[in-house]
Amino acid sequence: MHDAPPSTGGAILRRTTRRHRVRLVGSSALFCVHQFCETMVPVAIGLIIGRAVETGDVTAMIVSLLGLAGLFVVLSYAYRFGARIIVVAIEREAHLLRVEVAGRVLDPRGVQVDLGPGELLTVSTSDAEKTSWALDAIARVAAAVTALVVTAVALLVIDVPLGLAVVIGTPVLLLLLQLCAPFLTRAATDQQAEVARVSGLATDLVSGVRPLRGIGAEDVASRRFVQSSRRALAATMRLARGNSVYLGVSATVGALLSAAVAGTAGFLALEGRISVAELITVVGLAQFLIEPLSSLSRLPGFLAVIRGSADRLALVLGADPVVTSTGTRSPDTSSVGLDDLSYGTLTHLDLHLERGEIVGVVAYRPQDADALAAVLSGQVSPDDVTGRLTVGGVDVTELALPEVRRTVLVEPHTSDLFAGTVRSNIALDRGSDLDAAVTASAVTDIVAMHDGGLDHPVTDRGASLSGGQRQRVALARALAAQPPVLVLHDPTTAVDAVTEHAIATGIAGLRHDGDARTQTTVLITTSPALLAVTDRVVVLDEGRVATVGTHHGLAETDERYREAVLR
């Protein structure tokens, strides 16, 4: 039984601690040993001076120096192995968080989160890494507390007022500094959100630079990026100013506390209440006291960054799925029905696609085409849809989600390709025979154009290919999947007329030739070449079915259809 995904940043941090508790305890213990030994160094020096230097005892000097050397060996190796253990835990946790975010984003049910692709990338990388720093923070806090406790005990042994100064002053100092934590947390969260937005915008602009140049929108895009970058800069400066003031004040107060301890010890030595050896020990401890105090004083700012990243992770990991599936049935056929369905601009739509049909859908309003493709894709929330959608005669709410995904594949108008090769983008990991899909989608032209053929390299998002080539590779990928129901939304808008005719013939031949026509194909398009190979055409107007007929019949009798399709 799997645990419910964490829905808050605090829940994520608690889970992080639990699943690495063994390494965390081991590393913390070694760090505590390291800090204990470091704290004992000035104590050991004071003992050497008091029992060997002042007495002139050579044997005591040799034994003392060997003991001091052993102390340095222990503290050195304790830190080395403690750091190694905690780094392993941090890297493992960052990996687990990255994989978890990726899995959540790729969940077939979808994820209801108001973040763009670039922001999601930042969450899965930068925020995942920063959240894992919580393990390091816990281990180092344990070490700093150990150092303060040992220092206080040593000072209490030497002089009770000196020890009390540390015992009382340290908590008061930390409590005052903790009052700044809420401000730092808010500032860190705002800064990380603004940086994520500008990173996401940069990702989108780089990937869309070609169409931006095509429509002459470079200046507008540049101004938007500059404005977003300025907001990120302002948020970063607010956080930097807050951190600077906070660290400056905390460092000053910590140094004053250490100086007060050392100064008081000097006064006590002058009065003869403590020896010279004890004075040296106190001065050494006072200097050492600055390090753990600084570590603890930096903690609120450090935790603010960690908590901000954990909260952003919670936005994704704790988000509700777009689609919930409780059904268990499987569709028997590849028929699809929409009964009195309303979604977006679609209003009480009745549309039935029979098994083996190739149906064209012409939408006079582009938003109707987008809404139909979205509904058929199953990527919309049931709360936003009224009416009934059936696959194989069974309501989708009664079907198992994997079965719906296996049966109905919607290839959107804008498809993304992945870094790799033409072959890997078409086949993915299916290992299927690609020849038929490559031929039907006219990818043969791309294969023949390059020496690598199907193994020709493709860069991220298909940037190394033209718009028409990207469309054809995406179409080949959809055809190679061989789904029972395939919905293609404007699959040929970037190819020439000759290639478009070849693709239309290829789709019809691949999916609908032969006596046993079992596959259903829906072409949401205004392309006359694609519509010419359909069995019938359904025309949508104002979100409803306006008319139904063959492409040739409608082209001859319906003037509006002719204006929308023939060009």
Side-chain angles (χ1 to χ4, degrees):
M1 185 174 179
H2 297 288
D3 294 336
S7 58
T8 65
I12 289 176
L13 293 174
R14 288 191 294 273
R15 188 189 63 178
T16 292
T17 303
R18 286 197 306 271
R19 64 186 179 189
H20 297 281
R21 55 185 177 274
V22 174
R23 285 191 174 89
L24 185 58
V25 169
S27 176
S28 299
L30 288 171
F31 278 152
C32 289
V33 170
H34 164 76
Q35 287 291 68
F36 174 81
C37 293
E38 276 208 324
T39 309
M40 294 306 295
V41 167
V43 175
I45 292 174
L47 290 174
I48 292 172
I49 292 175
R51 297 183 180 180
V53 175
E54 290 181 351
T55 61
D57 189 336
V58 176
T59 302
M61 175 66 74
I62 295 173
V63 172
S64 298
L65 291 177
L66 289 175
L68 185 62
L71 200 61
F72 275 104
V73 169
V74 173
L75 71 86
S76 175
Y77 277 95
Y79 180 84
R80 177 180 298 182
F81 287 109
R84 179 179 297 178
I85 293 171
I86 202 64
V87 166
V88 170
I90 290 171
E91 294 302 325
R92 285 182 179 272
E93 178 63 14
H95 165 72
L96 291 173
L97 291 173
R98 286 193 296 268
V99 171
E100 191 172 7
V101 172
R104 193 69 185 87
V105 172
L106 296 174
D107 191 324
R109 299 173 301 169
V111 56
Q112 295 187 35
V113 60
D114 190 22
L115 295 174
E119 292 177 279
L120 289 172
L121 178 63
T122 302
V123 170
S124 65
T125 53
S126 177
D127 288 322
E129 179 183 2
K130 290 175 181 176
T131 300
S132 68
W133 293 350
L135 299 170
D136 183 64
I138 294 173
R140 293 187 184 277
V141 165
V145 170
T146 298
L148 290 174
V149 170
V150 175
T151 299
V153 170
L155 291 176
L156 283 170
V157 171
I158 294 173
D159 187 81
V160 173
L162 287 177
L164 290 177
V166 175
V167 171
I168 298 173
T170 299
V172 172
L173 169 63
L174 295 178
L175 180 62
L176 293 175
L177 293 175
Q178 187 62 28
L179 297 177
C180 302
F183 165 77
L184 293 175
T185 300
R186 288 194 300 271
T189 302
D190 293 342
Q191 186 263 350
Q192 287 165 279
E194 291 295 342
V195 169
R197 288 192 191 98
V198 74
S199 299
L201 181 57
T203 301
D204 295 339
L205 291 178
V206 170
S207 62
V209 67
R210 285 187 178 180
L212 287 174
R213 288 173 178 169
I215 62 176
E218 301 100 311
D219 291 340
V220 175
S222 178
R223 285 196 295 272
R224 284 185 58 197
F225 180 77
V226 169
Q227 292 170 356
S228 181
S229 182
R230 284 174 177 168
R231 288 194 296 271
L233 175 62
T236 302
M237 293 303 294
R238 285 194 297 273
L239 178 61
R241 283 194 294 269
N243 270 329
S244 296
V245 172
Y246 173 83
L247 292 175
V249 171
S250 61
T252 300
V253 174
L256 290 175
L257 177 61
S258 299
V261 170
T264 302
F267 177 77
L268 294 176
L270 289 175
E271 287 191 338
R273 292 175 53 184
I274 62 175
S275 65
V276 174
E278 290 174 326
L279 173 62
I280 293 174
T281 297
V282 172
V283 171
L285 289 173
Q287 289 180 324
F288 171 74
L289 190 61
I290 296 176
E291 180 184 343
L293 284 176
S294 297
S295 296
L296 292 177
S297 63
R298 287 195 297 267
L299 185 62
F302 192 50
L303 289 180
V305 173
I306 294 171
R307 183 56 188 261
S309 290
D311 287 341
R312 287 176 55 76
L313 277 172
L315 290 177
V316 179
L317 299 182
D320 294 328
V322 175
V323 180
T324 55
S325 174
T326 57
T328 58
R329 299 178 60 182
S330 300
D332 297 327
T333 67
S334 56
S335 62
V336 177
L338 289 79
D339 297 292
D340 195 32
L341 188 140
S342 297
Y343 169 73
T345 58
L346 301 179
T347 307
H348 303 292
L349 176 64
D350 292 305
L351 176 62
H352 294 86
L353 311 169
E354 300 301 329
R355 177 187 183 190
E357 273 194 309
I358 177 169
V359 180
V361 177
V362 174
Y364 290 149
R365 300 188 306 180
Q367 53 266 46
D368 289 345
D370 294 338
L372 178 60
V375 167
L376 293 176
S377 71
Q379 297 290 345
V380 298
S381 173
D383 297 335
D384 298 330
V385 181
T386 60
R388 190 165 182 257
L389 172 62
T390 61
V391 178
V394 182
D395 195 292
V396 291
T397 59
E398 300 176 21
L399 295 172
L401 185 59
E403 290 298 322
V404 178
R405 295 283 185 266
R406 181 191 63 80
T407 304
V408 182
L409 171 62
V410 177
E411 182 65 24
H413 172 56
T414 303
S415 298
D416 285 326
L417 300 183
F418 307 99
T421 64
V422 174
R423 184 192 305 277
S424 65
N425 271 279
I426 297 174
L428 297 179
D429 60 350
R430 288 187 290 266
S432 57
D433 181 11
L434 307 183
D435 291 343
V438 166
T439 301
S441 59
V443 173
T444 47
D445 292 349
I446 305 173
V447 173
M449 188 183 304
H450 303 286
D451 293 336
L454 283 174
D455 295 317
H456 175 66
V458 175
T459 58
D460 185 40
R461 297 198 177 192
S464 57
L465 302 177
S466 67
Q469 290 173 333
R470 287 198 296 272
Q471 271 194 336
R472 282 180 278 168
V473 172
L475 175 59
R477 178 173 61 197
L479 293 173
Q482 300 179 7
V485 180
L486 176 60
V487 181
L488 300 174
H489 185 194
D490 284 330
T492 58
T493 53
V495 302
D496 59 80
V498 175
T499 305
E500 193 171 35
H501 278 281
I503 290 174
T505 303
I507 293 173
L510 178 63
R511 291 183 59 82
H512 298 276
D513 268 359
D515 296 331
R517 294 175 53 169
T518 60
Q519 295 179 324
T520 303
T521 305
V522 183
L523 302 174
I524 305 175
T525 182
T526 56
S527 163
L530 292 174
L531 295 171
V533 301
T534 61
D535 297 319
R536 61 189 174 103
V537 176
V538 177
V539 179
L540 301 183
D541 189 19
E542 300 296 329
R544 300 187 181 189
V545 175
T547 184
V548 180
T550 65
H551 168 64
H552 297 293
L554 291 172
E556 290 178 358
T557 61
D558 191 321
E559 182 178 353
R560 189 177 181 190
Y561 178 85
R562 194 163 47 245
E563 290 176 354
V565 171
L566 300 181
R567 56 187 189 274

mmCIF file of all heavy atoms in Angstrom, residues 79-108:
data_model
loop_
_atom_site.group_PDB
_atom_site.id
_atom_site.type_symbol
_atom_site.label_atom_id
_atom_site.label_comp_id
_atom_site.label_asym_id
_atom_site.label_seq_id
_atom_site.Cartn_x
_atom_site.Cartn_y
_atom_site.Cartn_z
ATOM 1 N N TYR A 79 34.693 13.993 10.700
ATOM 2 C CA TYR A 79 34.083 14.931 9.751
ATOM 3 C C TYR A 79 34.064 14.339 8.342
ATOM 4 O O TYR A 79 33.060 14.455 7.628
ATOM 5 C CB TYR A 79 34.845 16.251 9.742
ATOM 6 C CG TYR A 79 34.238 17.256 8.780
ATOM 7 C CD1 TYR A 79 33.161 18.038 9.184
ATOM 8 C CD2 TYR A 79 34.714 17.400 7.475
ATOM 9 C CE1 TYR A 79 32.579 18.951 8.316
ATOM 10 C CE2 TYR A 79 34.130 18.297 6.599
ATOM 11 C CZ TYR A 79 33.063 19.067 7.026
ATOM 12 O OH TYR A 79 32.489 19.954 6.148
ATOM 13 N N ARG A 80 35.157 13.699 7.941
ATOM 14 C CA ARG A 80 35.242 13.156 6.583
ATOM 15 C C ARG A 80 34.151 12.123 6.339
ATOM 16 O O ARG A 80 33.431 12.190 5.332
ATOM 17 C CB ARG A 80 36.619 12.536 6.358
ATOM 18 C CG ARG A 80 36.773 11.875 4.988
ATOM 19 C CD ARG A 80 38.151 11.286 4.815
ATOM 20 N NE ARG A 80 39.190 12.305 4.878
ATOM 21 C CZ ARG A 80 40.489 12.060 4.713
ATOM 22 N NH1 ARG A 80 40.898 10.803 4.483
ATOM 23 N NH2 ARG A 80 41.377 13.021 4.779
ATOM 24 N N PHE A 81 34.004 11.172 7.250
ATOM 25 C CA PHE A 81 33.008 10.116 7.047
ATOM 26 C C PHE A 81 31.586 10.630 7.270
ATOM 27 O O PHE A 81 30.641 10.193 6.593
ATOM 28 C CB PHE A 81 33.303 8.925 7.961
ATOM 29 C CG PHE A 81 34.501 8.128 7.520
ATOM 30 C CD1 PHE A 81 35.686 8.164 8.241
ATOM 31 C CD2 PHE A 81 34.453 7.361 6.363
ATOM 32 C CE1 PHE A 81 36.797 7.443 7.833
ATOM 33 C CE2 PHE A 81 35.558 6.627 5.950
ATOM 34 C CZ PHE A 81 36.731 6.673 6.673
ATOM 35 N N GLY A 82 31.421 11.561 8.200
ATOM 36 C CA GLY A 82 30.101 12.155 8.396
ATOM 37 C C GLY A 82 29.638 12.911 7.163
ATOM 38 O O GLY A 82 28.467 12.791 6.752
ATOM 39 N N ALA A 83 30.555 13.686 6.571
ATOM 40 C CA ALA A 83 30.203 14.426 5.362
ATOM 41 C C ALA A 83 29.891 13.484 4.207
ATOM 42 O O ALA A 83 28.960 13.717 3.416
ATOM 43 C CB ALA A 83 31.352 15.362 4.982
ATOM 44 N N ARG A 84 30.655 12.399 4.094
ATOM 45 C CA ARG A 84 30.420 11.434 3.010
ATOM 46 C C ARG A 84 29.033 10.818 3.137
ATOM 47 O O ARG A 84 28.299 10.689 2.151
ATOM 48 C CB ARG A 84 31.495 10.352 3.043
ATOM 49 C CG ARG A 84 31.330 9.291 1.963
ATOM 50 C CD ARG A 84 32.444 8.267 2.050
ATOM 51 N NE ARG A 84 33.756 8.864 1.802
ATOM 52 C CZ ARG A 84 34.904 8.197 1.846
ATOM 53 N NH1 ARG A 84 34.890 6.891 2.138
ATOM 54 N NH2 ARG A 84 36.042 8.803 1.607
ATOM 55 N N ILE A 85 28.648 10.446 4.344
ATOM 56 C CA ILE A 85 27.345 9.816 4.555
ATOM 57 C C ILE A 85 26.210 10.780 4.233
ATOM 58 O O ILE A 85 25.241 10.429 3.556
ATOM 59 C CB ILE A 85 27.227 9.313 6.008
ATOM 60 C CG1 ILE A 85 28.207 8.161 6.242
ATOM 61 C CG2 ILE A 85 25.798 8.855 6.309
ATOM 62 C CD1 ILE A 85 28.311 7.750 7.699
ATOM 63 N N ILE A 86 26.325 12.025 4.687
ATOM 64 C CA ILE A 86 25.226 12.966 4.476
ATOM 65 C C ILE A 86 25.135 13.384 3.014
ATOM 66 O O ILE A 86 24.035 13.632 2.493
ATOM 67 C CB ILE A 86 25.369 14.195 5.404
ATOM 68 C CG1 ILE A 86 23.998 14.873 5.588
ATOM 69 C CG2 ILE A 86 26.377 15.189 4.850
ATOM 70 C CD1 ILE A 86 22.978 14.028 6.271
ATOM 71 N N VAL A 87 26.253 13.468 2.314
ATOM 72 C CA VAL A 87 26.210 13.809 0.884
ATOM 73 C C VAL A 87 25.496 12.708 0.098
ATOM 74 O O VAL A 87 24.704 12.991 -0.811
ATOM 75 C CB VAL A 87 27.640 14.042 0.343
ATOM 76 C CG1 VAL A 87 27.638 14.053 -1.184
ATOM 77 C CG2 VAL A 87 28.190 15.359 0.863
ATOM 78 N N VAL A 88 25.767 11.461 0.455
ATOM 79 C CA VAL A 88 25.058 10.354 -0.203
ATOM 80 C C VAL A 88 23.558 10.475 0.031
ATOM 81 O O VAL A 88 22.747 10.319 -0.897
ATOM 82 C CB VAL A 88 25.577 8.997 0.310
ATOM 83 C CG1 VAL A 88 24.679 7.854 -0.187
ATOM 84 C CG2 VAL A 88 27.012 8.770 -0.154
ATOM 85 N N ALA A 89 23.168 10.777 1.275
ATOM 86 C CA ALA A 89 21.736 10.919 1.587
ATOM 87 C C ALA A 89 21.123 12.077 0.816
ATOM 88 O O ALA A 89 20.004 11.961 0.290
ATOM 89 C CB ALA A 89 21.561 11.123 3.093
ATOM 90 N N ILE A 90 21.833 13.192 0.723
ATOM 91 C CA ILE A 90 21.317 14.370 0.005
ATOM 92 C C ILE A 90 21.120 14.056 -1.467
ATOM 93 O O ILE A 90 20.076 14.368 -2.057
ATOM 94 C CB ILE A 90 22.283 15.564 0.192
ATOM 95 C CG1 ILE A 90 22.225 16.066 1.633
ATOM 96 C CG2 ILE A 90 21.948 16.686 -0.777
ATOM 97 C CD1 ILE A 90 23.297 17.089 1.957
ATOM 98 N N GLU A 91 22.115 13.432 -2.088
ATOM 99 C CA GLU A 91 22.019 13.133 -3.515
ATOM 100 C C GLU A 91 20.922 12.104 -3.790
ATOM 101 O O GLU A 91 20.205 12.200 -4.796
ATOM 102 C CB GLU A 91 23.369 12.622 -4.040
ATOM 103 C CG GLU A 91 24.473 13.653 -4.004
ATOM 104 C CD GLU A 91 24.131 14.905 -4.796
ATOM 105 O OE1 GLU A 91 23.456 14.780 -5.853
ATOM 106 O OE2 GLU A 91 24.511 16.004 -4.352
ATOM 107 N N ARG A 92 20.779 11.128 -2.910
ATOM 108 C CA ARG A 92 19.710 10.133 -3.090
ATOM 109 C C ARG A 92 18.332 10.787 -2.966
ATOM 110 O O ARG A 92 17.422 10.496 -3.739
ATOM 111 C CB ARG A 92 19.861 9.002 -2.060
ATOM 112 C CG ARG A 92 20.989 8.028 -2.366
ATOM 113 C CD ARG A 92 21.033 6.913 -1.332
ATOM 114 N NE ARG A 92 22.093 5.959 -1.617
ATOM 115 C CZ ARG A 92 21.955 4.902 -2.406
ATOM 116 N NH1 ARG A 92 20.784 4.670 -2.995
ATOM 117 N NH2 ARG A 92 22.967 4.081 -2.617
ATOM 118 N N GLU A 93 18.182 11.660 -1.991
ATOM 119 C CA GLU A 93 16.896 12.326 -1.813
ATOM 120 C C GLU A 93 16.576 13.244 -2.993
ATOM 121 O O GLU A 93 15.427 13.282 -3.465
ATOM 122 C CB GLU A 93 16.894 13.124 -0.506
ATOM 123 C CG GLU A 93 15.617 13.902 -0.236
ATOM 124 C CD GLU A 93 14.398 13.006 -0.078
ATOM 125 O OE1 GLU A 93 14.564 11.773 0.090
ATOM 126 O OE2 GLU A 93 13.265 13.534 -0.122
ATOM 127 N N ALA A 94 17.565 13.982 -3.471
ATOM 128 C CA ALA A 94 17.340 14.835 -4.640
ATOM 129 C C ALA A 94 16.914 13.995 -5.840
ATOM 130 O O ALA A 94 16.009 14.375 -6.599
ATOM 131 C CB ALA A 94 18.606 15.629 -4.961
ATOM 132 N N HIS A 95 17.550 12.834 -6.012
ATOM 133 C CA HIS A 95 17.179 11.932 -7.112
ATOM 134 C C HIS A 95 15.739 11.446 -6.942
ATOM 135 O O HIS A 95 14.952 11.459 -7.898
ATOM 136 C CB HIS A 95 18.131 10.740 -7.137
ATOM 137 C CG HIS A 95 17.644 9.584 -7.964
ATOM 138 N ND1 HIS A 95 17.603 9.623 -9.341
ATOM 139 C CD2 HIS A 95 17.139 8.379 -7.598
ATOM 140 C CE1 HIS A 95 17.107 8.477 -9.789
ATOM 141 N NE2 HIS A 95 16.821 7.713 -8.755
ATOM 142 N N LEU A 96 15.380 11.026 -5.736
ATOM 143 C CA LEU A 96 14.020 10.529 -5.496
ATOM 144 C C LEU A 96 12.983 11.612 -5.755
ATOM 145 O O LEU A 96 11.918 11.347 -6.335
ATOM 146 C CB LEU A 96 13.908 10.026 -4.054
ATOM 147 C CG LEU A 96 14.695 8.751 -3.723
ATOM 148 C CD1 LEU A 96 14.623 8.472 -2.219
ATOM 149 C CD2 LEU A 96 14.153 7.560 -4.502
ATOM 150 N N LEU A 97 13.278 12.839 -5.343
ATOM 151 C CA LEU A 97 12.339 13.931 -5.555
ATOM 152 C C LEU A 97 12.206 14.263 -7.039
ATOM 153 O O LEU A 97 11.098 14.526 -7.530
ATOM 154 C CB LEU A 97 12.778 15.167 -4.766
ATOM 155 C CG LEU A 97 12.663 15.061 -3.240
ATOM 156 C CD1 LEU A 97 13.282 16.273 -2.578
ATOM 157 C CD2 LEU A 97 11.201 14.916 -2.826
ATOM 158 N N ARG A 98 13.328 14.258 -7.766
ATOM 159 C CA ARG A 98 13.266 14.531 -9.209
ATOM 160 C C ARG A 98 12.410 13.487 -9.918
ATOM 161 O O ARG A 98 11.562 13.821 -10.763
ATOM 162 C CB ARG A 98 14.677 14.559 -9.803
ATOM 163 C CG ARG A 98 15.490 15.777 -9.463
ATOM 164 C CD ARG A 98 16.722 15.874 -10.344
ATOM 165 N NE ARG A 98 17.633 14.767 -10.130
ATOM 166 C CZ ARG A 98 18.644 14.792 -9.265
ATOM 167 N NH1 ARG A 98 18.833 15.863 -8.518
ATOM 168 N NH2 ARG A 98 19.447 13.755 -9.136
ATOM 169 N N VAL A 99 12.650 12.235 -9.574
ATOM 170 C CA VAL A 99 11.880 11.150 -10.199
ATOM 171 C C VAL A 99 10.405 11.258 -9.829
ATOM 172 O O VAL A 99 9.522 11.046 -10.674
ATOM 173 C CB VAL A 99 12.448 9.783 -9.765
ATOM 174 C CG1 VAL A 99 11.533 8.650 -10.217
ATOM 175 C CG2 VAL A 99 13.846 9.583 -10.348
ATOM 176 N N GLU A 100 10.136 11.624 -8.585
ATOM 177 C CA GLU A 100 8.743 11.719 -8.141
ATOM 178 C C GLU A 100 8.011 12.849 -8.856
ATOM 179 O O GLU A 100 6.853 12.684 -9.270
ATOM 180 C CB GLU A 100 8.703 11.944 -6.628
ATOM 181 C CG GLU A 100 7.329 11.791 -6.030
ATOM 182 C CD GLU A 100 7.357 11.830 -4.514
ATOM 183 O OE1 GLU A 100 8.429 12.105 -3.934
ATOM 184 O OE2 GLU A 100 6.301 11.579 -3.911
ATOM 185 N N VAL A 101 8.666 13.988 -9.007
ATOM 186 C CA VAL A 101 8.036 15.102 -9.730
ATOM 187 C C VAL A 101 7.799 14.721 -11.186
ATOM 188 O O VAL A 101 6.723 14.974 -11.746
ATOM 189 C CB VAL A 101 8.898 16.372 -9.629
ATOM 190 C CG1 VAL A 101 8.343 17.467 -10.535
ATOM 191 C CG2 VAL A 101 8.956 16.870 -8.198
ATOM 192 N N ALA A 102 8.806 14.096 -11.814
ATOM 193 C CA ALA A 102 8.642 13.677 -13.209
ATOM 194 C C ALA A 102 7.492 12.684 -13.346
ATOM 195 O O ALA A 102 6.675 12.780 -14.273
ATOM 196 C CB ALA A 102 9.939 13.056 -13.716
ATOM 197 N N GLY A 103 7.405 11.730 -12.413
ATOM 198 C CA GLY A 103 6.321 10.770 -12.458
ATOM 199 C C GLY A 103 4.967 11.415 -12.274
ATOM 200 O O GLY A 103 3.983 11.021 -12.915
ATOM 201 N N ARG A 104 4.924 12.425 -11.411
ATOM 202 C CA ARG A 104 3.645 13.131 -11.188
ATOM 203 C C ARG A 104 3.236 13.910 -12.434
ATOM 204 O O ARG A 104 2.060 13.932 -12.799
ATOM 205 C CB ARG A 104 3.804 14.085 -10.002
ATOM 206 C CG ARG A 104 2.492 14.629 -9.483
ATOM 207 C CD ARG A 104 1.686 13.544 -8.817
ATOM 208 N NE ARG A 104 0.374 14.039 -8.431
ATOM 209 C CZ ARG A 104 -0.686 14.042 -9.225
ATOM 210 N NH1 ARG A 104 -0.584 13.569 -10.446
ATOM 211 N NH2 ARG A 104 -1.847 14.487 -8.808
ATOM 212 N N VAL A 105 4.197 14.548 -13.075
ATOM 213 C CA VAL A 105 3.889 15.319 -14.286
ATOM 214 C C VAL A 105 3.456 14.395 -15.418
ATOM 215 O O VAL A 105 2.580 14.726 -16.222
ATOM 216 C CB VAL A 105 5.114 16.162 -14.700
ATOM 217 C CG1 VAL A 105 4.889 16.809 -16.060
ATOM 218 C CG2 VAL A 105 5.406 17.228 -13.643
ATOM 219 N N LEU A 106 4.077 13.201 -15.487
ATOM 220 C CA LEU A 106 3.782 12.257 -16.561
ATOM 221 C C LEU A 106 2.629 11.314 -16.217
ATOM 222 O O LEU A 106 2.325 10.410 -17.006
ATOM 223 C CB LEU A 106 5.037 11.433 -16.883
ATOM 224 C CG LEU A 106 6.233 12.222 -17.434
ATOM 225 C CD1 LEU A 106 7.440 11.315 -17.560
ATOM 226 C CD2 LEU A 106 5.893 12.854 -18.774
ATOM 227 N N ASP A 107 2.007 11.501 -15.060
ATOM 228 C CA ASP A 107 0.888 10.647 -14.668
ATOM 229 C C ASP A 107 -0.208 10.698 -15.736
ATOM 230 O O ASP A 107 -0.615 11.789 -16.153
ATOM 231 C CB ASP A 107 0.323 11.149 -13.336
ATOM 232 C CG ASP A 107 -0.663 10.177 -12.711
ATOM 233 O OD1 ASP A 107 -1.416 9.528 -13.465
ATOM 234 O OD2 ASP A 107 -0.688 10.066 -11.478
ATOM 235 N N PRO A 108 -0.681 9.553 -16.215
ATOM 236 C CA PRO A 108 -1.743 9.560 -17.242
ATOM 237 C C PRO A 108 -2.997 10.313 -16.816
ATOM 238 O O PRO A 108 -3.756 10.783 -17.656
ATOM 239 C CB PRO A 108 -2.041 8.064 -17.441
ATOM 240 C CG PRO A 108 -0.812 7.366 -16.990
ATOM 241 C CD PRO A 108 -0.243 8.192 -15.883
#
